[in-house]
Amino acid sequence: VPTFSYARAVDVEDAVRRGSRPGVAYIAGGTDILNLLRDEAVTASSLVDLRSAAPARIAVNGAGATISAFATMREVADHPALGEQWPMLRAALLSGASAQVRNMATIGGNLMQRTRCWYFRDPGSPCNKKRPGSGCPAREGEHRWHSVFGASEHCVAVHPSDLAVALAALDGRITVRNAVAERTLGIEEIYRTPGDEPERDTTLGPGDLIVDVFVPRTALAASSSYVKVRDRASFEFALVSCAAALSIADGQVSDVRIALGGVAALPWRARAAEDYLRGRRPTAESFTACGARGTDGAQALPGNRFKMDLIPAVIMRALERAK
Ligand SMILES: Cc1cc2nc3c(=O)[nH]c(=O)nc-3n(C[C@H](O)[C@H](O)[C@H](O)COP(=O)(O)OP(=O)(O)OC[C@H]3O[C@@H](n4cnc5c(N)ncnc54)[C@H](O)[C@@H]3O)c2cc1C
């Protein structure tokens, strides 16, 4: 049984000071990291609890919404102004996990949760993400849920956060603090494809703490939708999901964002599909042709080839709902 010391951070400064020490991991709601520690997918000699580090504030103003990383998924999903003005955010949050998990799980923890690849989570399996160089059994084994974009020979795992996919379509940004500095990153900049270093899911370093998420107020937010296809209607991760946001002017799509979930180690922007749709009329025909471009650059494995049909269908449905 893994053992670790535990400390509750009294504020953000205290959290990042403690987080800068070797072997320290943050714990927020604990809904993911405790399982990972138990199954020895991650190791930590010390946990710093974030639950008292800062108030779970959510502020909405003319520029956009600033959401504390320490707010729970439920607090954010229930926030009236957020739900009204960024309905896709609420839809993505409510499509994830269960009511019980959402009561505990935080926004920062959701964005930093680890992959659901069985080989990563199974204590007895090799996995390049948890033990670099040990191999990737998913390529030859069970990979129904795995990547069709951006994978490498070392890892085909996907990132599981629904929220990250919605934020990618809404141009969300995160503020990261550590003991030395603060910086702001676009949501897509925090994740990385596996390449030769599948053990690194994100561009964040040891001790980096997400303090808040900012969602700008843009014309895209008003016409948006989140569609998630999964094996059962709740308590299940995406096989393929799509966050679509459209801005329509003079009967034409003036701007569009299409982000896919369940298909890559990061929220995957379907840029060829977006480029196709810009400047066209928002019709069933243009949505179909746009969806077909959603698989540009995809490389399926035998067990997840069905995603090549699913991706265009999910994009089309998300665009129809967003319109
Ligand atoms: C049965 C089940 C089904 C689920 N289904 C879904 C789903 O469909 N969609 C979905 O999106 N999620 C799903 N989840 C995952 C769930 O959303 C995450 O477990 C949860 O959001 C993690 O948040 P937490 O606060 O509990 O994080 P923790 O478990 O406390 O931490 C998770 C990771 O984030 C790090 N961390 C936490 N806060 C911060 C921060 N502020 N800055 C930097 N690092 C931080 C921790 O160090 C740790 O590495 C499911 C979970 C379960 C158990």
Side-chain angles (χ1 to χ4, degrees):
V1 178
T3 55
F4 43 80
S5 64
Y6 168 90
R8 193 172 267 246
V10 295
D11 55 27
V12 166
E13 277 68 33
D14 187 32
V16 293
R17 190 174 44 78
R18 291 175 184 276
S20 66
R21 297 175 188 151
V24 172
Y26 295 123
I27 178 168
T31 62
D32 193 31
I33 194 165
L34 289 175
N35 293 332
L36 294 167
L37 287 167
R38 184 199 56 204
D39 295 337
E40 296 177 11
V42 302
T43 52
S45 53
S46 180
L47 292 185
V48 173
D49 191 328
L50 301 173
R51 277 174 296 182
S52 308
R57 244 183 235 121
I58 300 168
V60 178
N61 62 27
T66 304
I67 303 166
S68 162
F70 314 112
T72 63
M73 290 170 74
R74 181 182 64 78
E75 285 167 332
V76 178
D78 283 356
H79 193 273
L82 267 184
E84 212 170 276
Q85 294 166 51
W86 289 272
M88 189 222 282
L89 269 188
R90 171 183 282 168
L93 285 167
L94 293 180
S95 78
S98 65
Q100 293 90 334
V101 173
R102 293 194 296 268
N103 281 339
M104 295 290 294
T106 62
I107 296 305
N110 184 284
L111 296 176
M112 293 299 284
Q113 64 177 297
R114 305 297 303 274
T115 181
R116 291 279 151 179
C117 176
W118 319 129
Y119 302 103
F120 174 70
R121 294 202 173 234
D122 173 35
S125 294
C127 163
N128 288 325
K129 198 178 264 308
K130 71 180 168 200
R131 283 194 288 278
S134 62
C136 175
R139 279 201 154 268
E140 303 295 325
E142 178 53 66
H143 51 242
R144 178 173 147 74
W145 278 267
H146 289 61
S147 283
V148 295
F149 294 108
S152 77
E153 59 179 304
H154 305 295
C155 183
V156 289
V158 298
H159 194 268
S161 166
D162 291 292
L163 174 65
V165 180
L167 290 174
L170 295 171
D171 296 336
R173 299 198 288 273
I174 63 161
T175 308
V176 178
R177 287 271 305 267
N178 60 30
V180 196
E182 178 175 297
R183 64 194 194 277
T184 302
L185 298 167
I187 189 75
E188 290 169 78
E189 291 177 280
I190 71 173
Y191 300 107
R192 56 185 301 284
T193 50
D196 291 339
E197 291 180 296
E199 67 278 17
R200 291 181 55 218
D201 292 0
T202 71
T203 58
L204 270 51
D208 276 348
L209 178 73
I210 302 178
V211 289
D212 59 44
V213 172
F214 177 71
V215 190
R217 185 184 297 281
T218 63
L220 286 162
S223 303
S224 64
S225 77
Y226 188 70
V227 172
K228 176 173 175 180
V229 175
R230 47 191 160 167
D231 280 336
R232 53 182 182 187
S234 72
F235 218 38
E236 188 58 281
F237 293 90
L239 287 167
V240 174
S241 67
C242 178
L246 285 171
S247 141
I248 297 172
D250 300 327
Q252 289 186 340
V253 176
S254 52
D255 205 2
V256 57
R257 300 280 184 283
I258 299 170
L260 298 170
V263 297
L266 65 168
W268 192 262
R269 284 279 296 281
R271 288 199 161 78
E274 292 176 357
D275 290 345
Y276 173 83
L277 200 56
R278 260 183 220 107
R280 292 183 195 266
R281 294 172 61 75
T283 61
E285 291 72 30
S286 64
F287 289 169
T288 304
C290 168
R293 284 160 175 79
T295 53
D296 276 18
Q299 273 192 314
L301 294 162
N304 66 11
R305 216 174 290 288
F306 69 95
K307 292 191 181 186
M308 304 299 267
D309 296 324
L310 204 46
I311 289 168
V314 175
I315 292 176
M316 267 180 343
R317 192 180 302 173
L319 289 170
E320 285 291 355
R321 287 197 190 161
K323 190 169 132 183

